RNA sequence: GCCCCUGUGGCGGAAUUGGUAGACGCGCUGGAUUCAAAAUCCAGUUCUUUCGGGAGUGGGAGUUCGAUUCUCCCCGGGGGCACCA
């Protein structure tokens, strides 16, 4: 019988389904293990060959753990809210729920086709009201809590209100944007609206004005991704920043815990540093500067309070709230002009152009609290509104940017650090001795920083402070296809929690924003005004549903709770999380934040959601381009073969991606459109129908290949189903693992798959010859046992290391060895297929049954362990080296110790001849490797 | 500019973590089989050579008996952050 993957795979897919082989229970005598994949967004393009890379790896690991006797949770679901479905709806009128359901069904088919061991009874869908009911419920919990810095814990807002009623906010230490202090009497006298405004400064989910990318022409808010060079990606219309009252999550309250928590998880160093940079902790001081003729003070953050004597001017971000207020009459025009200038520059322009120094003087002066000298107050866009306080004290003798600014505008420079004793050191290195700095003179930088903070605190004009780059997360989206907020506003615009959950998305047939630019949900007027109040019409962002889905898998059908205490106490946390590095900061940071919040409230027993994380690299594709002349000729497009473009020198060319199905020798350097391919290409788009095609001598249009993202818009999506149809799912799985280390990005290339395909047929041939089953009960020889145990040792080691490419190589070697030994013995083959079962589930299931076993190999629960006994030789041949150069070889007892080997080596006549007359300095014995004699 | 990762045959990539560099696969070259092709099988395949060897893991130094592996400098590729006070 030939190896026929399609027949085998169909059979076992059915068997697994009927017998619920992968059903996981929340109760078991076995130890638990939780393997999680980042769930996909079910896009219209379907699954492509890149998606399964991580899924295959985690599937192998899950099956491996199951065979080792663990109770493995390995679920899958869909991150089903998102922009593409909404845009599709706007274009076609198909409701996002409908297109999403279709896409999910397609994904499911494609995933099943690859033989994954997901427990589909636990499927989660973030757009299902039974799921987002709990997302809304968590939001309300966040809304109902503030962060108490004393206990380092989320605490109920009701507790805070009690404190306010008893003693005001004098003793409250919280993560807050509340600056004013107030008494209990003051609090009690406030209107509900005023009280709520204050509470908003404490709530972990709160409303604040933030800026969005607004496109007047499209009448909608755009994501950063949708804005290119200051204009909308669609249509190229201008985009401006528009202030909008939006929900935000106070993730900054958890900055320190998110940072220190990294010490206790197994993430790659690269990922940890990325998260550390994102949080961006820096230690310094906040300092208040008085302003001449004004009551307000300017607050700045500085990491170098020691340089305060060198602060000769101040710079505010153009968006700083005091700018208008401080500007004097004669400077109004200049400031207005500068504000107009910065407003015209997109964020990208501002970032790209670091060299140009710009700014404007407000006419106002602050006072240097240390030296008492006046400091002109300027505005400049090198100071960012979003970082620190949006204002700096400028120390031109210390900071390079301040120096450039002072130089350009002729502002004073005072040297405050003597670095003569520290040649070549930068000020940022925190070395040197303070000069021109009053009481700080003579101190080393580190000591000066401490003393400066002490003095600031003593004078009551500043204090030591830790600043984070991390910003609170914007939590509002002006979209339809997301979780509605469970919030209603009363007539005083005070938000109230809606406790009757879920708040379901109302049905709409138009998903565009309203004419006034309001979010699409404003169209559902009855829904908005239900119950005499006004509903929040924004929806939650994509990261809401994905921030806790791994917990729902533990108890997905629970209608009373998010998940039961029992379930979460059993599964604890994700043991292994596999997913793309593109989520390094966004999703991972937000879900860690939510998890810590739930921990504070006692819902989860662990501080971190993920114990270990593996980032799989991106599988890239080859994009095929056809060259086309920029200028049409006689109204027609002219396509030019890549090997003929020299003939068109001086004429501008552009490249158009070509659907790879038309391309011959796809992916190679010499890919081309044959006459037939050109014909298909002509019929692809009406524009190309009558175009001219300048082909080469062979009549082909040579295309240009580039490695890039696999994407629908690049026409290079390869459906795994097609590969599976040709080679089988097991071959596909093994091949994707064989491509290289799981963390590396690499281009998809089908060239090498024949090698893996051959391997599977060779494996099959160990069992079958034509129709005859070759397997015997004969006792295995020593050589056969050695071949087997070598591979067992290797596989167990590599699977733990997540090194699957080397596993596949080891299998190939084992099968080749057994073929050479003509081994068809059950004693050898049973462990071999057990070993292979995680990698090639269908084939091994078939062979397992052929060996007369019942049930599923994947539920067997006894992964083979290697026995060192079979690997030990009686004698070992050692290379003998003199000073590292191999001179001869000698055979020794395998059991010989290092000392014995050394003695025996030196006793050899041949060796004595080699070292004749020279002094032996030392003998180095590397077990099982070599003996090196160092002479001379 | 800063941070992280990375550089090995024609290609994807191995190297037990300092111990025989190039496992395994692709490709290529021979050969067997075949009327022929596909498929399959066997052998070879880092470069160089006067067939003794010699060189060799981006380049240069260093540590070591010994370096793809550790240290420093430089160059190239990828990713992240970005006027961060």
């Amino acid at each position: 019988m030939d190896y026929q993957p399609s027949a085998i795979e169909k059979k076992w897919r059915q068997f697994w389904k009927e017998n619920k082989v992968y059903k996981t229970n929340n109760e078991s005598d076995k130890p638990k293990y939780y393997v999680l994949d980042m769930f996909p967004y079910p896009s219209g393009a379907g699954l492509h060959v890149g998606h399964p890379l991580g899924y295959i790896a985690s599937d192998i690991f899950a099956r491996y753990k199951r065979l080792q006797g663990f109770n493995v949770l390995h679920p899958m679901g869909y991150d089903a809210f998102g922009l593409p479905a909404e845009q599709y709806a706007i274009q076609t009128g198909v409701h996002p729920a409908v297109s999403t359901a279709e896409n999910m069904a397609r994904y499911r088919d494609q995933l099943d086709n690859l033989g994954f061991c997901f427990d589909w009874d636990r499927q989660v869908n973030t757009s299902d009201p039974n799921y987002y009911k709990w997302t809304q419920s968590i939001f309300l919990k966040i809304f109902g809590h503030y962060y108490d810095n004393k206990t380092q814990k989320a605490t109920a807002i009701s507790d805070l209100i009690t404190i306010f009623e008893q003693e005001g906010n004098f003793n409250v230490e919280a993560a807050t944007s509340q600056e004013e202090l107030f008494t209990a009497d003051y609090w009690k006298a406030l209107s509900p609206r005023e009280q709520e405004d204050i509470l908003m400064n404490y709530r972990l989910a709160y409303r604040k004005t933030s800026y969005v990318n607004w496109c007047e022409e499209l009448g909608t808010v755009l994501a950063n991704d949708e804005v290119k060079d200051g204009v909308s990606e669609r249509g190229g219309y201008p985009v401006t920043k528009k202030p909008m009252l939006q929900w935000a999550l106070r993730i900054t309250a958890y900055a320190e815990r998110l940072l220190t928590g990294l010490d206790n998880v197994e993430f790659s160093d690269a990922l940890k540093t990325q998260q550390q940079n994102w949080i961006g902790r820096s230690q310094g001081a906040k300092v208040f500067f008085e302003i001449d003729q004004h009551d307000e003070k300017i607050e700045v953050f500085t990491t170098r309070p020691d340089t305060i004597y060198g602060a000769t001017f101040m710079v505010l971000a153009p968006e700083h709230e005091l700018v208008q207020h401080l500007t004097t009459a004669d400077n109004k025009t200049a400031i207005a002009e500068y504000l107009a200038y910065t407003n015209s520059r997109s964020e990208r322009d501002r970032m790209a152009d670091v060299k140009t120094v710009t700014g404007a003087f407000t006419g106002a002066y602050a006072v240097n609290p240390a030296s008492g000298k006046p400091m002109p107050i300027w505005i400049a866009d090198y100071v960012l509104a979003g970082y620190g306080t949006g204002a700096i004290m400028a120390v031109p003798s210390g900071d390079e940017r301040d120096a450039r600014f002072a130089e350009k505008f002729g502002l004073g420079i005072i040297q405050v650090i003597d670095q003569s004793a520290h040649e070549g050191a930068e000020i940022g290195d925190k070395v040197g001795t303070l000069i021109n700095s009053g009481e700080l003179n003579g101190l080393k930088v580190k000591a000066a920083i401490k003393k400066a903070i002490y003095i600031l605190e003593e004078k009551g004009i500043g204090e030591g402070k830790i600043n984070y780059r991390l910003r609170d997360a914007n939590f509002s989206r002006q979209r339809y296809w997301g979780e509605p907020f469970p919030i209603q506003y009363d007539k005083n615009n005070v938000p109230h929690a809606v406790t009757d959950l879920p708040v379901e998305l109302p049905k709409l047939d138009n998903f565009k924003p309203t004419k006034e630019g309001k979010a699409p949900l404003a169209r559902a007027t009855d829904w908005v005004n239900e119950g005499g109040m006004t509903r929040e019409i924004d929806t939650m962002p994509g990261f809401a549903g994905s921030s806790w889905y791994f917990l729902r898998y533990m108890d997905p059908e629970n209608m009373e709770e998010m998940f039961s205490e029992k379930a979460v106490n059993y599964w604890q946390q994700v043991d292994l999380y596999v997913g793309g590095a593109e989520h390094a900061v966004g999703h991972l940071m937000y879900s860690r934040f939510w998890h810590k919040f739930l921990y504070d409230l006692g819902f989860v027993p662990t501080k971190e959601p993920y114990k270990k994380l593996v980032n799989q690299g991106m599988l890239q594709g080859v994009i095929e381009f056809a060259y086309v002349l920029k200028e049409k000729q006689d109204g027609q497009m002219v396509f030019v073969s890549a090997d003929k473009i020299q003939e068109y020198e001086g004429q501008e060319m552009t490249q158009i991606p070509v659907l790879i199905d038309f391309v011959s020798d796809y992916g190679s350097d010499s890919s081309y459109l044959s006459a037939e391919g050109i014909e298909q290409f002509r019929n692809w788009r009406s524009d190309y129908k009558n175009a001219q095609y300048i082909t080469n001598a062979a009549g082909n249009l040579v295309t240009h290949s580039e490695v890039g993202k696999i994407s629908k818009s690049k026409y290079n999506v390869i459906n795994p189903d097609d590969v599976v149809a040709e080679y089988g799912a097991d071959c596909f799985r093994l091949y994707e693992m064989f491509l290289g280390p799981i963390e590396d990005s690499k281009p998809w290339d089908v060239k090498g798959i024949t090698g893996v395909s051959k391997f599977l047929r060779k494996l099959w041939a160990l069992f079958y010859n034509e129709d005859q089953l070759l397997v015997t009960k004969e006792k295995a020889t020593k050589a056969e046992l050695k071949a087997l145990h070598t591979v067992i040792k290797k596989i167990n080691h590599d699977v733990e290391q997540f090194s699957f490419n080397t596993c596949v190589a080891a299998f190939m070697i084992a099968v080749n060895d057994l073929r050479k030994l003509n081994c068809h013995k059950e004693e050898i083959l049973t462990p071999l297929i057990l070993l292979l079962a995680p990698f090639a589930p269908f084939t091994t299931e078939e062979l397992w049954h052929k060996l007369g076993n019942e049930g599923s190999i994947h539920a067997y629960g006894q992964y083979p362990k290697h026995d060192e006994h079979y690997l030990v030789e009686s004698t070992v041949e050692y290379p003998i080296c003199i000073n590292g150069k191999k001179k001869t070889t000698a055979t020794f007892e395998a059991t010989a110790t290092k000392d014995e080997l050394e003695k025996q080596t030196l006793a050899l006549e041949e060796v004595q001849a080699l070292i004749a007359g020279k002094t032996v300095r030392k003998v180095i014995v590397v077990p099982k490797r070599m003996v090196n004699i160092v002479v001379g």
Side-chain angles (χ1 to χ4, degrees), chain A residues 460-689:
Chain A
I461 52 166
E463 61 186 27
K465 196 192 169 190
I466 290 160
N467 192 54
Y468 298 94
R469 203 179 71 93
L470 186 70
R471 294 180 211 174
D472 282 344
N474 184 329
F475 202 62
S476 289
R477 299 292 183 266
Q478 292 69 43
R479 304 286 182 188
Y480 171 73
W481 193 230
E483 298 88 348
F485 281 86
I487 292 286
Q488 286 179 307
Y489 301 96
D490 64 21
K491 55 184 183 303
N492 294 318
N493 207 16
V494 173
H496 296 271
V498 179
T499 46
D500 183 19
L501 301 179
V503 174
E504 286 200 41
L505 262 176
K507 290 262 180 287
L508 287 185
D509 39 26
N510 183 346
F511 307 98
K512 283 185 188 160
T514 65
K515 286 210 177 73
E516 307 82 56
K518 282 191 169 171
L521 281 181
R523 292 178 182 278
T525 43
D526 291 350
W527 177 82
V528 172
N529 297 313
E530 232 163 46
M533 290 204 265
T534 314
R535 284 187 192 276
E536 172 63 67
I537 54 168
D538 284 350
T539 53
M540 298 186 199
F543 70 80
S546 62
S547 287
W548 74 284
Y549 73 108
F550 51 92
L551 295 167
R552 184 65 179 172
Y553 283 136
M554 295 174 178
D555 194 9
E557 273 156 30
N558 197 327
M559 298 304 281
E560 275 73 51
E561 309 160 278
M562 304 186 267
F563 44 83
S564 71
E565 201 180 331
K566 198 177 158 200
V568 77
N569 279 333
Y570 179 69
W571 292 112
Q572 293 276 321
Q573 66 183 143
V574 176
D575 291 287
L576 175 71
Y577 195 21
V578 180
E582 65 272 22
H583 301 291
V585 278
H587 160 63
L588 283 176
M589 198 70 106
Y590 297 129
S591 56
R592 290 180 62 221
F593 160 45
W594 281 41
H595 194 86
K596 285 176 188 299
F597 172 77
L598 291 174
Y599 172 80
D600 285 352
L601 269 55
F603 284 102
V604 297
T606 54
K607 291 182 180 174
E608 287 285 337
Y610 321 112
K611 206 173 195 173
K612 180 180 173 142
L613 181 124
V614 174
N615 279 133
Q616 95 262 14
M618 218 183 16
L619 207 50
Q620 292 152 317
V622 173
I623 310 167
E624 297 285 359
F625 292 99
Y627 285 103
V628 64
L629 292 184
K630 217 163 188 176
E631 296 290 322
K632 287 187 179 181
Q633 285 184 6
D634 306 325
Q636 292 302 337
M637 298 174 93
V638 180
F639 290 93
V640 182
S641 183
D643 51 1
K644 303 270 279 187
I645 54 170
Q646 315 87 295
E647 295 171 25
Y648 290 82
E649 236 184 309
Q651 296 201 47
E652 278 199 82
M653 293 265 185
T654 49
Q655 299 182 358
I656 290 183
V658 177
L659 184 65
I660 55 168
D661 297 2
F662 306 156
V663 179
S664 305
D665 287 351
Y666 166 65
S668 77
D669 292 341
S670 55
S671 52
Y672 62 94
L673 289 173
S674 64
E676 196 190 339
I678 292 171
E679 202 46 41
Q680 290 173 308
F681 186 73
R682 274 184 196 279
N683 295 324
W684 191 33
R685 294 271 189 283
S686 55
D687 289 4
Y688 308 158
K689 184 82 191 161

